[in-house]
């Protein structure tokens, strides 16, 4: 694998997103002390899995995040991304199908680091093994720092062995061997603990065998007892049969006695008839006394029942007050946590807004400054061209004057011979000047190069604007993805908490009825008030207290107009059908107090807030939700969370895809920007070459013209 580029955002002095291309050959960074050269090396080591804050020149790992200056606020997130070329296919098997690997390490202040390879979350150990397999890494001798060469020269044999293993690419194998040894050691410890568990289980097995023998003995004794009881019952049957025969004989004697005494009864009947005439007044007096006694007994029972109900109501009220106090304390604690979280979120939002404040104006000002400097550069280039032409003309004129002086000195000696040479030279120069069209071609080349330079600059400006736009879009996508993932994590945490809370009864022998009931949202308190503690009873008839499914009853009496059946808001097992058929739902407490006297036997009225009116006069005012109502509300909330979590996951997936697409678009825009800048430089080089060629031809043409003029003057 080969390093292709490194991108830093918020890492130490690199507050803005900075990208460094590592092209084939040697890539060097040159700059004065304190410009951040060493931060690049530390960024490489940090991205390759460095976990020591001291090696990163800090007291804690959060120190690698940009801490702010007098003009710029601190950042909360730092990220370093390494792009590797994997065309040699030396990456781990899970990522070896990709031609390019993007390894990123992202740290959030106070939250720790997150490692990713091509957007997939991995362990820090996976990153370290990847680089160790390729003879690199955070602690590799390949990273040569100050004093490192001397240390390698004076290294001990053990240290040299590490260097050779690094060069051979087997450091990753040693790391894996060490990790495998640790796992084997853990497995041996597990085996040791397993032996202890087996020993304990053997003891339990011996106890169970003893219990099994006792159970077998118990069954044997039970069989003997049943046989003995059967024999005893048989003996009792024989004795009872003998008693029956004796009773028949006694019956015959008793019948004779009855016949004898019938005559006595007849005589007594006559006496009874006479007494019956005197009996009605006495019976009437007795009935009056019995009625009075019955009224007193009923009054006493009513007072006793009322006293018991008041005692139960008092105990229930005290229990509810205790529950309300506990709920209020818990809600206060939750409210305090929520206020703290809101303040922290508001502070972070203000920091982000402050960081983004003035960003647009700064970009516009920078763009205007670039355009102004470009105008200045064009003016300077024009001035340079004019000055070059003027200097060339002056130089040509100076050379011409020198030649004229020399010609005038020699003219006195060789006038005749020189006149013929001058004529010949005039003819030759005239022919050269007439034939030469290189200057016009050179000027055309300069104009063409200037046009190409203008086009390249326009392309570069467009590419720069595209890159800035894609960079901003990528930042927006990342921010949106972070917000979506944060919301998803909160929803999943809430769902996990509710699942853990509601799943506490999964292992119970008799699950309560409430776990089999589904109540529409907003009606949980009404349902819990109507059934009370009975909602916690199980459906299993093996339980001491349970619900039993009975045949359907005839339809209950019709409800008044203002009453709606609660059964329409509840999905419950058949065992509750009888109960729900007699529960009505009303809108307010006033309606309940008015309709309570009209209820048929068995009917109950409830409000959504928990008010209750029963047919026998029992009533309950609206109050705080019961534990059963809270449990039903939690189940409804869990059902809502399932849909919200699914929607949040889809949204997070869409945001992740959008972020990846934005990152790809940004990479494309950066590449196009680089190509456009290279195009500007190439066009500028061509323009300089064309200008130099045009200047040189202009000088040569001027020199020929000067010689021509000098020859004309001499002639």
């Amino acid at each position: 694998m080969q390093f292709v580029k490194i991108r830093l955002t918020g890492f130490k002095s690199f507050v803005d997103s900075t990208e460094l291309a590592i092209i084939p050959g040697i890539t060097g960074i040159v700059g004065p002390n304190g410009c951040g050269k060493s931060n690049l090396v530390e960024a490489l080591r940090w991205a390759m899995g460095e976990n020591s804050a001291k090696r990163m020149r800090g007291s804690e790992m959060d120190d690698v995040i940009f801490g702010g200056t007098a003009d710029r606020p601190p950042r909360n997130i730092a990220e370093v991304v390494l792009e590797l070329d994997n065309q040699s296919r030396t990456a781990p098997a899970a990522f070896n199908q990709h031609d390019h690997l993007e390894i990123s390490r992202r740290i959030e202040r106070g939250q720790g680091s997150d490692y990713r390879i091509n957007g997939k979350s991995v362990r820090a150990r996976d990153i370290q093994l990847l680089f160790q397999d390729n003879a690199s890494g955070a602690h590799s001798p390949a990273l040569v720092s100050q004093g490192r060469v001397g240390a390698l020269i004076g290294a001990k044999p053990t240290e040299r062995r590490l260097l050779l293993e690094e060069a051979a690419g087997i450091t990753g194998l040693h790391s894996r061997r060490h990790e495998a040894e640790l796992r084997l050691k853990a497995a041996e410890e597990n085996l040791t603990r397993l032996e202890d568990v087996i020993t304990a289980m053997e003891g339990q097995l011996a106890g169970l065998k003893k219990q099994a023998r006792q159970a077998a003995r118990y069954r044997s004794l039970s069989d003997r007892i049943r046989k003995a009881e059967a024999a005893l019952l048989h003996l009792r049957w024989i004795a009872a049969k003998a008693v029956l025969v004796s009773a028949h004989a006694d019956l015959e004697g008793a019948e004779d006695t009855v016949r004898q005494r019938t005559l006595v009864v007849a005589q007594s009947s006559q006496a009874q008839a006479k007494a019956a005439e005197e009996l009605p007044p006495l019976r009437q007096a007795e009935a009056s006394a019995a009625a009075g006694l019955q009224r007193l007994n009923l009054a006493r029972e009513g007072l006793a029942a009322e006293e018991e109900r008041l005692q139960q109501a008092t105990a229930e009220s005290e229990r509810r007050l205790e529950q309300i106090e506990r709920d209020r304390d818990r809600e206060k604690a939750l409210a305090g946590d929520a206020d703290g979280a809101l303040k922290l979120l508001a502070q972070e939002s203000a920091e982000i807004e402050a960081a983004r404040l003035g960003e647009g104006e700064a970009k516009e000002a920078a763009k205007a400054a670039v355009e102004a400097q470009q105008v200045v550069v064009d003016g300077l280039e024009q001035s340079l061209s004019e000055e070059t032409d003027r200097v060339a003309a002056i130089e040509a004129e100076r050379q011409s004057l020198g030649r004229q002086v020399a010609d005038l000195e020699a003219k006195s000696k060789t006038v005749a011979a020189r006149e013929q040479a001058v004529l010949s030279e005039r003819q030759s120069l005239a022919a050269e000047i007439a034939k030469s069209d290189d200057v016009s071609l050179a000027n055309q080349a300069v104009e063409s190069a200037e046009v190409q330079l203008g086009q390249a600059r326009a392309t570069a400006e467009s590419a720069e604007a595209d890159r800035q736009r894609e960079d901003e879009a990528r930042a927006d996508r990342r921010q949106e993805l972070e917000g979506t993932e944060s919301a998803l994590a909160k929803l999943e945490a809430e769902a996990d908490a509710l699942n853990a809370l509601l799943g506490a009864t999964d292992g119970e022998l008799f699950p309560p009825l409430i776990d089999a009931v589904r109540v529409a949202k907003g009606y949980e308190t009404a349902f819990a008030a109507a059934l009370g503690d009975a909602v916690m009873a199980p459906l299993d008839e093996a339980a001491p207290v349970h619900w039993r499914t009975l045949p359907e009853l005839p339809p209950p009496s019709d409800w008044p107009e203002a009453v709606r059946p609660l059964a329409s808001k509840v999905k419950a097992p058949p065992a509750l059908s009888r109960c729900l058929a007699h529960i009505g739902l009303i809108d307010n407490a006033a309606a309940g107090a008015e309709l309570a006297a009209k209820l048929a036997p068995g009917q109950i009225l409830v409000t959504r807030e928990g008010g209750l009116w029963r047919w026998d006069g029992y009533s309950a005012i609206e109050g705080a939700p019961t534990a059963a109502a809270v449990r039903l509300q939690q189940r409804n909330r869990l059902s809502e969370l399932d849909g919200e979590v699914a929607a949040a996951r889809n949204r997070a997936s869409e945001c992740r895809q959008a972020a990846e697409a934005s990152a790809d678009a940004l990479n494309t825009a950066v590449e196009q920007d680089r190509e456009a800048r290279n195009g500007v430089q190439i066009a500028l080089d061509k323009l300089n070459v064309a200008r130099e060629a045009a200047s040189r031809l202009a000088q040569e043409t001027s020199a020929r013209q000067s010689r021509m003029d000098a020859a004309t003057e001499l002639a």
Side-chain angles (χ1 to χ4, degrees), residues 368-381 453 457 461 680:
V370 170
E371 293 177 353
Q373 291 298 324
Q374 186 62 45
V375 172
V376 172
V377 169
D378 293 340
L380 291 175
E381 289 179 351
L453 177 60
R457 283 175 175 168
E461 291 176 357
V680 170

Side-chain angles (χ1 to χ4, degrees), residues 30-75:
V30 181
N33 292 337
C35 68
K37 301 186 298 297
S38 59
N39 290 342
L40 287 172
V41 178
E42 291 180 355
L44 282 171
R45 296 176 60 186
W46 187 70
M48 288 190 287
E50 178 60 67
N51 292 323
S52 174
K54 292 183 179 180
R55 292 180 180 270
M56 302 303 296
R57 297 184 299 171
S59 59
E60 57 183 12
M61 194 55 73
D62 286 350
D63 291 341
V64 303
I65 305 175
F66 176 70
T69 63
D71 299 329
R72 307 195 70 168
R75 299 288 292 270

Side-chain angles (χ1 to χ4, degrees), residues 565-588:
L566 181 62
S568 61
K569 307 297 182 182
V570 180
K571 292 182 179 179
L576 277 184
S577 59
R578 279 192 175 193
C579 180
L580 291 176
H582 291 79
I583 301 175
L585 185 66
I586 55 177
D587 295 331
N588 50 63

Side-chain angles (χ1 to χ4, degrees), residues 131-212:
F131 286 104
Q132 287 176 356
D133 290 340
N134 290 273
S136 182
H139 303 143
S140 172
L143 294 176
V144 181
S145 57
Q146 184 176 3
R148 184 64 176 170
V149 175
L152 292 176
I153 294 174
K156 297 179 181 180
T158 303
E159 297 173 348
R160 291 179 182 174
R161 177 184 177 184
L162 295 176
L163 181 62
L164 294 174
E165 289 176 351
E166 182 81 23
I170 62 175
T171 307
L173 298 178
H174 283 288
S175 298
R176 290 185 175 88
R177 184 185 68 182
H178 178 65
E179 186 174 356
E181 290 174 351
L182 293 178
R183 291 180 178 176
L184 288 173
K185 185 177 180 181
E188 291 176 355
E189 294 177 354
N190 290 336
L191 289 174
T192 303
R193 288 196 296 269
L194 182 60
E195 292 176 355
D196 296 338
V197 172
I198 291 174
T199 303
M201 294 298 290
E202 288 176 350
Q204 294 180 5
L205 179 61
L208 292 174
K209 287 181 178 178
K210 182 178 179 181
Q211 293 176 8

Side-chain angles (χ1 to χ4, degrees), residues 87-394:
Q87 294 183 358
S88 59
R89 293 295 188 272
T90 57
F95 304 97
N96 207 24
Q97 70 273 17
H98 301 289
D99 292 336
H100 293 274
L101 297 181
E102 187 178 82
I103 300 173
S104 64
R105 181 177 182 180
R106 180 185 180 92
I107 183 171
E108 186 173 354
R109 195 178 299 278
Q111 300 296 326
S113 298
D114 177 35
Y115 295 87
R116 292 181 181 273
I117 299 179
N118 286 354
K120 182 179 180 181
S121 181
V122 296
R123 304 176 303 167
R125 186 63 178 167
D126 298 331
I127 299 292
Q128 295 169 356
L129 288 176
L130 185 148
F131 286 104
Q132 287 176 356
D133 290 340
N134 290 273
S136 182
H139 303 143
S140 172
L143 294 176
V144 181
S145 57
Q146 184 176 3
R148 184 64 176 170
V149 175
L152 292 176
I153 294 174
K156 297 179 181 180
T158 303
E159 297 173 348
R160 291 179 182 174
R161 177 184 177 184
L162 295 176
L163 181 62
L164 294 174
E165 289 176 351
E166 182 81 23
I170 62 175
T171 307
L173 298 178
H174 283 288
S175 298
R176 290 185 175 88
R177 184 185 68 182
H178 178 65
E179 186 174 356
E181 290 174 351
L182 293 178
R183 291 180 178 176
L184 288 173
K185 185 177 180 181
E188 291 176 355
E189 294 177 354
N190 290 336
L191 289 174
T192 303
R193 288 196 296 269
L194 182 60
E195 292 176 355
D196 296 338
V197 172
I198 291 174
T199 303
M201 294 298 290
E202 288 176 350
Q204 294 180 5
L205 179 61
L208 292 174
K209 287 181 178 178
K210 182 178 179 181
Q211 293 176 8
R213 289 194 298 271
Q214 291 176 349
R217 182 181 178 186
Y218 171 78
R219 286 194 297 270
S220 176
L221 292 175
S222 298
D223 292 339
R224 293 180 183 178
I225 290 171
R226 282 195 297 272
K227 291 179 180 179
E229 288 177 347
L232 178 60
L233 291 174
H234 181 68
L235 293 175
R236 288 180 179 177
W237 177 77
I238 294 173
K241 191 174 181 181
V243 172
L244 179 61
V245 172
S246 176
H248 279 296
D250 294 339
L251 177 62
E252 292 176 356
E255 287 177 349
D256 293 337
T257 304
V258 168
R259 283 192 296 270
Q260 293 173 2
R261 293 184 179 181
T262 301
L263 297 174
V264 178
V265 170
Q267 295 173 358
S268 299
S269 296
Q270 294 176 359
Q272 182 183 7
K274 293 178 181 180
E277 294 176 358
E278 301 174 357
L279 186 60
L282 297 176
R283 286 183 174 176
Q284 185 176 359
E286 181 186 4
S288 299
L293 178 61
Q294 182 66 21
R295 285 195 300 271
L296 292 175
N297 288 334
L298 291 175
R300 184 184 62 184
E301 292 176 357
L303 291 174
E306 182 66 19
E307 181 182 4
E308 183 179 359
R309 185 183 65 79
L310 290 175
Q311 291 176 354
Q312 292 178 354
T314 302
E316 179 66 18
S317 298
E318 292 176 354
R319 187 184 64 78
R320 288 188 178 181
L321 285 174
E322 293 176 358
Q323 180 65 30
I324 289 170
E325 289 295 331
R326 291 195 295 271
D327 293 344
R328 185 179 65 182
D329 295 340
R330 184 177 68 254
E331 293 299 329
K332 285 181 179 180
L334 293 176
D337 295 341
D339 291 340
L342 288 174
K343 290 179 182 179
L344 182 59
L345 291 174
Q347 182 180 357
E348 292 183 357
S349 176
E351 291 176 357
I352 293 173
E353 291 298 329
R356 292 179 60 89
L357 187 62
E359 186 177 352
E361 291 78 356
K363 289 182 179 180
E364 293 296 332
K367 185 175 181 180
V370 170
E371 293 177 353
Q373 291 298 324
Q374 186 62 45
V375 172
V376 172
V377 169
D378 293 340
L380 291 175
E381 289 179 351
Q382 184 66 27
S383 299
L384 177 62
S385 177
E386 293 176 357
E387 289 298 326
T388 302
D389 295 341
R390 188 171 63 82
V391 169
I394 292 173

Side-chain angles (χ1 to χ4, degrees), residues 603 614-618:
Q603 290 184 336
R614 212 161 62 186
W615 65 277
D616 56 0
Y618 179 77

Side-chain angles (χ1 to χ4, degrees), residues 491-512:
L491 291 175
E492 288 178 341
E494 184 179 359
D496 292 341
L498 289 177
N499 278 320
L501 184 61
L502 297 175
T505 60
D506 289 346
E508 292 185 2
L509 180 60
F510 302 115

